[in-house]
Amino acid sequence: MSAPALDVAELIRELVRTPTVSGDAAGQRGLLGLVADVATGVAPHLQRIEGPDPEQPWTLLTSATDPARPRLVIACHVDTVPAGDPGGWQRDPFGADLDDGRIWGRGASDMKAGVVAAVAALAAADPETPLALLLTSDEEIGSRGAAAAAGAVADLSVGAVIVPEATGNRVVLGHRGALWLAVRTRGVAAHGSTPERGHNALLDLVAVLGRAGRELPLTSEPFLGAETWNPGVLHSGTVPNVVPDRAEVVVDQRTVGTGERLTAWWRSQAEVSEVDVLVDLPAVRTPADDPWVATLPVEVQAAPATYFTDASVLTAVTGGAPIVVWGPGTPAVMHAVDEHVEVVEAQQAAAAFADVLARWPR
């Protein structure tokens, strides 16, 4: 009996209509359940494992083949960044409008179209093909769901991994890592009219940030490119007429090696009182001459992805298996106002993934 047909466009629209902002465990749990129900509906042979922590959900679907046979794993996240002010959008960010071949809304490219392409490919796969679909939460805030699921993935024999983020359906062989640090300074509070009686923690932090722009020991790597840093969030003070006794900045650094030297630099600054590591994800790189990569039916992009993915977590638990980032959607609209995806791209991705699964060693 053949599997029921899956309407790629309508399923993308259904997922986009469902808000799943990072940190909203309930919303993400609901969508994980929806996607798993659809996947097992079109591929009833799949076995379903769910994460035990309701606050950090994940779901793993696997074919019931010999566990010793290496599986092709497709790894997707279901969370999105916030939509921001809906008034800045031309369309309702959760309306999932379909117009002129495009679906509009938050998460359309990043990465609900990729999720649907993966499910459609599974629906077309031979039940004897050793495969798995990993669905994670909170990728956007540090791949937390993938970290929670890492133990379950480590129990699999993994032959290769596809992460269907938005790449315009080109294969991408890696990306930089991410090191997010909370850097704090301490001062002494005083009345704003007599600042000389206190010590301004914010001014200390500003001095450190200015120094970082000149001295932070950033490096580069031929394929992954240059490391970067961005002070993305700043907190200090309570009211204008009090000298702030605390200040904190959260710094996003994209790394090509370990983050130890960068963390050490921040901790070595005289003004800094504390540094907490919030996210520390390694860079990912698959060799261009990998034999499996050579079989893929689409173009391999010469440059890495600019963003990080769950591959940073999975690379540590998949035994050196090749990992590619490859999926429908436009990188330029990820996290942007008026995010959208071309339906034809999602359909092409589903067909290409199905082709790869059809040729996967059984």
Side-chain angles (χ1 to χ4, degrees):
M1 181 177 178
S2 61
L6 191 151
D7 188 322
V8 167
E10 283 307 307
L11 185 53
I12 295 172
R13 296 182 73 195
E14 185 172 3
L15 301 195
V16 171
R17 290 189 193 105
T18 307
T20 51
V21 176
S22 305
D24 175 12
Q28 293 178 82
R29 275 200 315 275
L31 196 67
L32 286 169
L34 187 157
V35 173
D37 287 346
V38 170
T40 54
V42 294
H45 62 282
L46 293 176
Q47 298 178 339
R48 181 169 174 171
I49 304 170
E50 296 181 339
D53 183 357
E55 294 306 309
Q56 199 62 79
W58 55 268
T59 299
L60 180 64
L61 303 174
T62 63
S63 55
T65 55
D66 180 352
R69 295 163 65 194
R71 296 174 188 270
L72 177 56
V73 178
I74 305 180
C76 310
H77 69 87
V78 301
D79 63 310
T80 72
V81 296
D85 178 11
W89 290 63
Q90 296 182 51
R91 302 164 186 266
D92 179 352
F94 299 107
D97 290 350
L98 174 57
D99 183 29
D100 196 24
R102 288 180 172 178
I103 297 169
W104 298 78
R106 176 56 81 224
S109 270
D110 187 12
M111 62 177 295
K112 292 179 176 180
V115 173
V116 173
V119 172
L122 264 64
D126 187 316
E128 294 301 313
T129 302
L131 55 81
L133 174 63
L134 176 65
L135 303 166
T136 69
S137 59
D138 289 343
E139 185 266 357
E140 300 287 2
I141 52 176
S143 291
R144 296 177 182 177
V153 176
D155 288 340
L156 300 176
S157 175
V158 178
V161 180
I162 297 171
V163 181
E165 294 277 7
T167 66
N169 280 341
R170 292 182 293 274
V171 169
V172 176
L173 298 178
H175 55 74
R176 294 172 298 173
L179 176 66
W180 295 0
L181 302 177
V183 180
R184 303 184 186 95
T185 55
R186 303 287 184 185
V188 177
H191 197 287
S193 65
T194 55
E196 68 279 3
R197 295 179 180 176
H199 184 88
N200 193 308
L202 177 56
L203 291 179
D204 278 355
L205 188 55
V206 168
V208 174
L209 291 173
R211 198 178 306 134
R214 302 186 301 272
E215 300 179 6
L216 197 62
L218 302 172
T219 188
S220 63
E221 193 269 350
F223 173 69
L224 297 173
E227 293 182 322
T228 60
W229 76 290
N230 176 62
V233 179
L234 179 66
H235 297 292
S236 182
T238 53
V239 291
N241 57 342
V242 174
V243 174
D245 61 353
R246 299 184 183 189
E248 176 184 287
V249 64
V250 178
V251 183
D252 174 2
Q253 296 155 117
R254 300 305 168 100
T255 58
V256 300
T258 70
E260 293 177 0
R261 71 198 181 286
L262 296 174
T263 304
W265 185 90
W266 290 101
R267 286 178 171 153
S268 72
Q269 303 309 298
E271 301 92 339
V272 171
S273 61
E274 295 173 293
V275 176
D276 285 345
V277 178
L278 305 181
V279 171
D280 188 1
L281 299 173
V284 175
R285 181 174 183 181
T286 292
D289 60 356
D290 179 88
W292 175 70
V293 169
T295 70
L296 298 179
V298 297
E299 174 189 356
V300 176
Q301 185 170 290
T306 57
Y307 44 80
F308 70 80
T309 74
D310 280 342
S312 287
V313 171
L314 299 177
T315 191
V317 295
T318 51
I323 300 177
V324 298
V325 184
W326 169 27
T330 304
V333 304
M334 298 168 71
H335 300 192
V337 168
D338 297 324
E339 183 178 353
H340 58 270
V341 70
E342 303 283 348
V343 172
V344 68
E345 274 196 21
Q347 294 168 334
Q348 289 168 346
F353 295 164
D355 176 64
V356 172
L357 286 172
R359 291 184 287 110
W360 184 254
R362 295 196 295 272

